[in-house]
Amino acid sequence: MTSRLSKTLMLVAVIAILAFLLAPILVLIFSAFDGGNIFRFPPRSYSLRWFEAAFNHSEYRSSLWVSTILGLIATFIAVTLASFAAFGLVRGRPAYRLGMEVLLLAPLTLPLVVWAIALLSIYAELGMNGTLPGLILAHVTITIPFAARIMIATFDEIDPNLEAAAKSLGASPFHVMRRVTLPLAMPGLLSSTAIAFLVSFNDVVVTTLIAGAGWITFPVRTFSRLRTEGIDPTTIAIGAMIVAFTIVVIVVGQRLFQLSRRF
Amino acid sequence: MKETPDIRPITTAMLVAPAACLMFGVFVLPFAYLLVLSFWSQTPGSLRMDTNLTLANYTRIVGDSYYLGGLWTTLWLSAVVTLICLILALPLARWIVLHAGRAKGLLIGLSILPLVCGALLPTLGLVNLLSPLGFINGGLKAMGLIQTSLPLLGNITGVTIGLVQAFLPLMLLPLITTIERIPADYEKAAMSLGARRTVVWRRVLLPLMMPGIVAGSLLVFCASLTAFVTPQILGQGKVVTFASLAYQQAALVLDWPFASALAMVMLLFLLLACVLGALVMRRLGRTV
């Protein structure tokens, strides 16, 4: 086989795999613009009526608020806690670093369905079912692994000698933090904020179980309507907006602070 | 790398403690509670818990072909998904690292989309693609390749496709990281010494990629084993996985002790997979 031919074949394979990876997402976006009454792809006529329907739907509007507020609070707490822990683990080099990393990253591999069920039964005992603090705690727990992973990598890359140099030149610890460490860690902080928010915003499994009737998020509303009424075009329009929002965050994040390199 | 820590142990502990306490209280404790719960029992139809320790829940799983079948399906499905992810991710990861050039960052960003979009939304797109009247079946019919629709939804094929799509990024990311660390000269050196392509792959590239392959496989296997939303939607209730059994028992039947036992069996297999992964890595540490 000539190397030119093999290169072309390789390119075709790569494009096919990427297409497979992204096709469902593209399908979702395109079919939201369909003018018909059912979910179809490719669209046969174009219209914005389902976006209109989604925006006029007061239940969806209120759950959009719930998602946004919950996501912002959970992200703030998770990124703060993860950054403190990551800084301690990297700069302090404690003997328990590996164990702590496993603890912080565990929710990535352990079954969240099972955990949510267990948490629900504990919340029931404490009277925390369906409360906002309970929901926030759950969301902090599922976003911490992403934030911790990015922040550990970020602090690992920052040369501690820069901090030592600033200190030896007479800067106070607070000053070192504000003028040296924080600016250097900024791309990592922004990356982990973006990813943590997206994870919290898009979660279905944990929120479905923990939220109760009071705090229904955007994706949970979508999922429950999907189960009771099947796929209707309003659901698709909303899904398309969430996905489009996610893509914008990732592309902008990539341009501004090389999101993918830190993930 | 300096050997002495930059901050005092007490400061370190204070920085780490809040996150550690949270993870312990909200994440580890519920699992511990679940372990205890799995040895309790509950009379069907009532919510009263019998706190005498019993193995009944576990013997029920082992003795019932319905649950054993679900376990077998889930394990087999996870293994197949892991293998397919590996086969697809290897060329893609290598191409992104070696040939993507300036598009590299953007491509990596786009490939993590299925991961951060959550399980639900990409699955909705897949439902449309795979359904009997959907894009794939419609296209194949229009080209005259098939007369009747291929059954791609509500069976194991659909669930496999959905899980591969959802978890490919979990394989891709560790692979990209390890491939980036392999110096480009190694391959050239091996070739210039007369090694054929297959030999270069078997003797040079694959062994160097092994850490990424093991890490990625573990992530994909664990994620598939416990996946819930994707099998639920694409399997349309006809593919019984272990996570859906546990969910059923906990949320619908309300038999919490039995649901906990099912969950513990899932955890056992996760643990086995991790131990196996660690063993492979240790062996590699000695030979490579």
Side-chain angles (χ1 to χ4, degrees):
Chain A
M1 194 159 37
T2 63
S3 84
R4 193 178 185 138
L5 182 62
S6 75
K7 255 189 193 143
T8 316
L9 279 178
M10 189 68 189
L11 193 64
V12 171
V14 164
I15 290 171
I17 299 167
L18 270 174
F20 167 67
L21 195 67
L22 299 174
I25 296 168
L26 293 176
V27 165
L28 192 69
I29 292 182
F30 279 111
S31 43
F33 291 96
D34 190 83
N37 288 323
I38 50 159
F39 179 23
R40 60 185 180 191
F41 178 84
R44 265 150 259 183
S45 61
Y46 290 89
S47 103
L48 291 172
R49 58 189 278 219
W50 299 114
F51 289 99
E52 242 177 82
F55 277 114
N56 288 331
H57 206 292
S58 65
E59 278 183 351
Y60 277 124
R61 268 215 310 269
S62 68
S63 43
L64 179 63
W65 272 113
V66 173
S67 284
T68 310
I69 292 174
L70 176 66
L72 288 175
I73 300 176
T75 302
F76 177 74
I77 301 176
V79 171
T80 310
L81 291 184
S83 305
F84 282 152
F87 189 74
L89 291 178
V90 172
R91 287 288 179 271
R93 277 181 274 268
Y96 52 82
R97 174 171 169 171
L98 185 67
M100 262 314 293
E101 279 185 24
V102 171
L103 180 65
L104 287 176
L105 301 183
L108 281 179
T109 45
L110 288 177
L112 288 183
V113 190
V114 174
W115 166 71
I117 292 169
L119 190 63
L120 189 63
S121 60
I122 290 184
Y123 275 6
E125 302 279 327
L126 300 173
M128 277 173 77
N129 264 350
T131 63
L132 188 61
L135 196 54
I136 290 173
L137 267 183
H139 271 240
V140 170
T141 310
I142 55 173
T143 48
I144 266 193
F146 293 92
R149 207 173 113 160
I150 298 171
M151 291 320 292
I152 289 172
T154 302
F155 288 126
D156 262 332
E157 273 181 19
I158 298 175
D159 187 351
N161 289 324
L162 295 172
E163 288 157 13
K167 213 183 270 175
S168 75
L169 291 170
S172 68
F174 175 73
H175 216 70
V176 174
M177 181 52 82
R178 208 171 66 89
R179 300 294 294 273
V180 180
T181 315
L182 214 52
L184 286 170
M186 205 34 103
L189 273 170
L190 292 174
S191 298
S192 58
T193 305
I195 299 278
F197 183 77
L198 290 179
V199 168
S200 162
F201 193 90
N202 286 325
D203 174 75
V204 176
V205 177
V206 173
T207 322
T208 305
L209 283 159
I210 301 291
W215 303 98
I216 298 178
T217 61
F218 220 41
V220 168
R221 174 89 61 199
T222 312
F223 186 54
S224 70
R225 275 182 70 104
L226 184 71
R227 295 223 281 200
T228 53
E229 292 157 42
I231 302 179
D232 77 288
T234 324
T235 313
I236 297 305
I238 289 172
M241 284 190 279
I242 299 182
V243 170
F245 166 71
T246 309
I247 293 175
V248 168
V249 171
I250 287 189
V251 172
V252 171
Q254 182 58 33
R255 293 222 66 140
L256 293 184
F257 40 86
Q258 296 220 305
L259 184 111
S260 70
R261 217 168 61 79
R262 277 157 241 285
F263 188 71
Chain B
M1 190 65 99
K2 292 199 300 183
E3 280 311 308
T4 49
D6 302 310
I7 49 180
R8 287 180 302 155
I10 178 77
T11 319
T12 307
M14 274 165 57
L15 285 168
V16 176
C21 290
L22 181 98
M23 293 312 279
F24 188 80
V26 188
F27 197 74
V28 179
L29 274 187
F31 275 109
Y33 178 63
L34 219 55
L35 177 64
V36 177
L37 205 59
S38 72
F39 292 103
W40 291 357
S41 61
Q42 186 174 296
T43 357
S46 86
L47 289 173
R48 285 251 319 277
M49 220 72 88
D50 180 357
T51 55
N52 291 317
L53 299 183
T54 168
L55 280 172
N57 295 317
Y58 291 98
T59 49
R60 189 172 153 202
I61 298 173
V62 181
D64 193 326
S65 62
Y66 179 63
Y67 298 108
L68 280 183
L71 180 62
W72 178 241
T73 310
T74 311
L75 286 174
W76 188 81
L77 178 70
S78 307
V80 171
V81 168
T82 308
L83 190 69
I84 298 177
C85 278
L86 184 60
I87 292 171
L88 294 183
L90 260 179
L92 184 55
R94 220 173 111 77
W95 190 86
I96 287 179
V97 173
L98 298 182
H99 305 293
R102 291 189 56 198
K104 187 171 125 185
L106 194 67
L107 282 180
I108 300 177
L110 286 178
S111 6
I112 62 172
L113 261 184
L115 214 57
V116 285
C117 277
L120 179 64
L121 298 175
T123 311
L124 285 184
L126 265 180
V127 169
N128 188 296
L129 280 175
L130 300 178
S131 78
L133 298 171
F135 186 62
I136 293 177
N137 274 314
L140 289 175
K141 271 186 211 159
M143 287 190 282
L145 291 173
I146 51 167
Q147 253 78 57
T148 48
S149 294
L150 301 171
L152 299 172
L153 266 188
N155 57 22
I156 202 97
T157 317
V159 177
T160 310
I161 294 174
L163 290 176
V164 170
Q165 197 266 338
F167 299 137
L168 193 56
L170 290 175
M171 185 69 88
L172 206 55
L173 290 173
L175 272 182
I176 287 175
T177 317
T178 43
I179 292 174
E180 272 178 335
R181 290 199 195 120
I182 301 175
D185 314 346
Y186 282 21
E187 197 185 341
K188 280 197 199 116
M191 299 271 256
S192 73
L193 290 171
R196 277 179 294 119
R197 278 208 86 72
T198 46
V199 179
V200 174
W201 268 93
R202 217 184 57 231
R203 303 283 297 274
V204 182
L205 292 175
L206 279 179
L208 286 169
M209 289 177 192
M210 223 36 191
I213 292 176
V214 173
S217 303
L218 260 182
L219 285 175
V220 174
F221 185 82
C222 291
S224 313
L225 195 64
T226 61
F228 171 65
V229 175
T230 310
Q232 193 88 338
I233 293 179
L234 295 176
Q236 300 182 324
K238 289 174 210 139
V239 179
V240 180
T241 61
F242 225 56
S244 64
L245 286 176
Y247 175 82
Q248 245 171 47
Q249 290 297 321
L252 306 175
V253 186
L254 298 176
D255 189 342
W256 292 74
F258 188 54
S260 311
L262 288 168
M264 283 302 139
V265 172
M266 239 192 300
L267 283 184
L268 179 74
F269 280 96
L270 285 184
L271 211 65
L272 281 176
C274 292
V275 170
L276 195 71
L279 283 178
V280 173
M281 292 298 279
R282 256 186 64 187
R283 247 194 100 87
L284 287 172
R286 272 195 220 120
T287 53
V288 179

